[in-house]
Amino acid sequence: MAAAVLAVLPLGYLGVRALERGPGHAWRIVADDRTALLLGRSLGLAAAVVAACLVLGVSLAWLTVRTDLPGARVWSVLVTLPLAVPSYVAAFAWLSAAPGLAGFTGSAMALTLVSFPYVYLPVTAALRGTDPAQEEVSRSLGHGPLRTFLRVTLPQLRPAAAGGGLLVALYVLSDFGAVSLMRYDTFTRGIYLSYQASFDRTPAAALSAVLVLMTVALVWGEARTRGRAGHARTGRGTARPPVPARLGALRAPALAWCGAVTAAAVGFPLATLGYWLAVGTSRTWDPALLTDTALTTLGVAAAGAALTGLLALPVGVIAARYQGRTAHLLEQSAYAGHALPGITVALALVFFAVRYAHPVYQEVPLLVAAYAVLFLPVAVAATRSAVLQAPPVLEDVARSLGRTPLRALREVTVPLAAPGIAAGAALTFVVCMKELPATLLLRPTGMDTLATRLWTETGSGAYAAAAPYAAALILLAAIPSYLLGRHRT
């Protein structure tokens, strides 16, 4: 119950705070020309990034799954690596190399290069699970590979591509780091500037409410576009493996396309960091400060992962072991914070702390609570999957031997599910380290994490001083990511 209350607290309090001075005042803020400008910019940026990600994700998925592309397995790994690069690191890399990109162009480029795997991964899974019989029939009727792809394959990929596009759109609307570094005003940056510029928090709350409504509308719209058409096979048995399409003369352009995307999304940011590390000296950055910041980042991320895992354990167990409206409502409540951008969650917690819990305002516990709200779904999903794999009959045996349900959970279920729970905690630890907007608003005065320090140094144009923090962030995040990869293989 505590997990559900914490997760829905930002939603409830945000509504109360936005309407505190009356619906009329809130409406004047929402109907302001500035709000309309932010709405247009946010939706325009999201549309551009989604369109670009669909092109990148679908084309790369088709090349790596359905063609004779040389080194397809290697490319399939390389094109997923951008998920490990925070958007603000990508923005830092491009902005430091080409300051003229600041604005819409740079924001769209940075966000596209870090988020296209959200389309690539589901489309790849759909291609691998689709029976190629319809494509073979199309080719037997004289249609070429391109026409077969457009008329037969692409319609079957629509649900996967639409789902991936929705994830990209939500990611763009909630992003703060890239648009802030690129100095492009969207809703998230507008909310942050409104919070910083005025003692009246109602405008920031009203803008946050509009941002939440935008995310809800996007989710509803994506669900409506699915329609009622079926996309499953009607035959029995396992789908035959497809015959790879021969690229022929297009092999070289296909390799160049994969190489260019990988180089822009992963190679260029790493090369840029290497350059700024090389030109930097001990006078541009302080190794002791870097070490202290890294330790602080590890500490708050570990606390956030621990609290999130603790709250997720009972929710995951209930969701896995019990059916019914109460269990379903509890699980869905835990996911409420996942639909909120980090800056909105932070703003809601600021309002709550100032009004009802002032001793924790700008203290580490409030920051850790924000991490729990934002990333509780990550831990709940991992815990639920791990508990589902633990045979419930063993719990029945433990209870038949006199163990109480709580003791059976502690002595049987949790040990069996421990690897999956640990994997969820490691993933939560990684995303806590990379979180930026909530950390900026809720961190104690004088405390910095690697993400906030990078944001500060880049904002002042000190790229050589920012590079060590970006490199340390990627390095520290890569360690648990590698352990997660080993756990899943």
Side-chain angles (χ1 to χ4, degrees), residues 108-381:
M109 179 184 296
L111 289 169
T112 297
L113 291 175
V114 300
S115 57
F116 76 85
Y118 290 116
V119 175
Y120 170 82
L121 291 172
V123 171
T124 297
L127 281 172
R128 288 173 177 165
T130 302
D131 196 321
Q134 297 182 45
E135 300 171 24
E136 294 171 359
V137 170
S138 175
R139 292 181 185 178
S140 70
L141 294 175
H143 300 311
L146 179 60
R147 189 173 181 183
T148 297
F149 174 77
L150 295 176
R151 298 285 297 275
V152 179
T153 309
L154 194 58
Q156 297 182 76
L157 301 179
R158 189 183 70 176
L166 174 63
L167 291 177
V168 172
L170 295 177
Y171 182 85
V172 173
L173 289 179
S174 64
D175 179 78
F176 172 78
V179 295
S180 294
L181 293 182
M182 289 292 180
R183 297 294 187 267
Y184 187 71
D185 287 340
T186 60
F187 258 102
T188 51
R189 188 164 187 255
I191 293 169
Y192 178 78
L193 294 178
S194 176
Y195 169 80
Q196 293 286 348
S198 174
F199 289 104
D200 182 10
R201 308 306 189 197
T202 302
L207 292 177
S208 298
V210 174
L211 185 56
V212 171
L213 291 177
M214 287 171 60
T215 61
V216 172
L218 278 176
V219 174
W220 178 83
E222 190 274 336
R224 294 282 294 179
T225 61
R226 296 175 191 170
R228 297 184 178 181
H231 297 274
R233 292 187 302 115
T234 57
R236 296 181 178 180
T238 304
R240 293 179 291 104
V243 177
R246 296 188 178 276
L247 292 173
L250 296 177
R251 180 172 296 182
L255 286 172
W257 175 245
C258 294
V261 174
T262 304
V266 180
F268 183 79
L270 293 180
T272 302
L273 290 180
Y275 168 78
W276 287 111
L277 286 172
V279 301
T281 65
S282 59
R283 290 176 295 178
T284 58
W285 59 279
D286 185 356
L289 180 59
L290 173 63
T291 302
D292 182 66
T293 306
L295 292 176
T296 300
T297 303
L298 293 174
V300 294
L307 177 61
T308 307
L310 183 64
L311 293 174
L313 181 59
V315 178
V317 171
I318 292 174
R321 288 290 187 256
Y322 300 96
Q323 301 296 326
R325 181 175 300 178
T326 302
H328 180 72
L329 180 62
L330 180 62
E331 184 180 11
Q332 293 302 312
S333 299
Y335 280 81
H338 199 57
L340 298 174
I343 194 167
T344 301
V345 171
L347 197 59
L349 291 180
V350 166
F351 295 153
F352 174 79
V354 170
R355 185 66 62 88
Y356 302 110
H358 196 272
V360 300
Y361 176 63
Q362 285 195 324
E363 297 293 338
V364 171
L366 192 63
L367 176 60
V368 172
Y371 291 158
V373 173
L374 288 168
F375 308 123
L376 185 61
V378 176
V380 168

Side-chain angles (χ1 to χ4, degrees), residues 305-489:
L307 177 61
T308 307
L310 183 64
L311 293 174
L313 181 59
V315 178
V317 171
I318 292 174
R321 288 290 187 256
Y322 300 96
Q323 301 296 326
R325 181 175 300 178
T326 302
H328 180 72
L329 180 62
L330 180 62
E331 184 180 11
Q332 293 302 312
S333 299
Y335 280 81
H338 199 57
L340 298 174
I343 194 167
T344 301
V345 171
L347 197 59
L349 291 180
V350 166
F351 295 153
F352 174 79
V354 170
R355 185 66 62 88
Y356 302 110
H358 196 272
V360 300
Y361 176 63
Q362 285 195 324
E363 297 293 338
V364 171
L366 192 63
L367 176 60
V368 172
Y371 291 158
V373 173
L374 288 168
F375 308 123
L376 185 61
V378 176
V380 168
T383 302
R384 181 178 182 273
S385 299
V387 173
L388 282 173
Q389 293 176 354
V393 66
L394 297 180
E395 300 171 20
D396 297 335
V397 171
R399 285 194 290 268
S400 70
L401 295 175
R403 300 295 193 272
T404 63
L406 183 60
R407 189 174 177 185
L409 173 67
R410 185 178 67 251
E411 297 181 355
V412 178
T413 307
V414 171
L416 289 174
I421 296 174
L427 184 57
T428 305
F429 177 76
V430 172
V431 293
C432 287
M433 278 200 301
K434 298 191 299 181
E435 206 286 328
L436 176 61
T439 309
L440 278 173
L441 291 183
L442 299 176
R443 57 184 169 147
T445 302
M447 191 196 89
D448 272 312
T449 65
L450 292 171
T452 61
R453 194 70 190 177
L454 169 64
W455 184 82
T456 302
E457 298 289 359
T458 307
S460 62
Y463 300 124
Y469 299 98
L473 181 61
I474 293 177
L475 178 61
L476 292 177
I479 297 174
S481 300
Y482 169 74
L483 295 177
L484 278 172
R486 288 192 60 185
H487 169 73
R488 293 176 180 178
T489 58

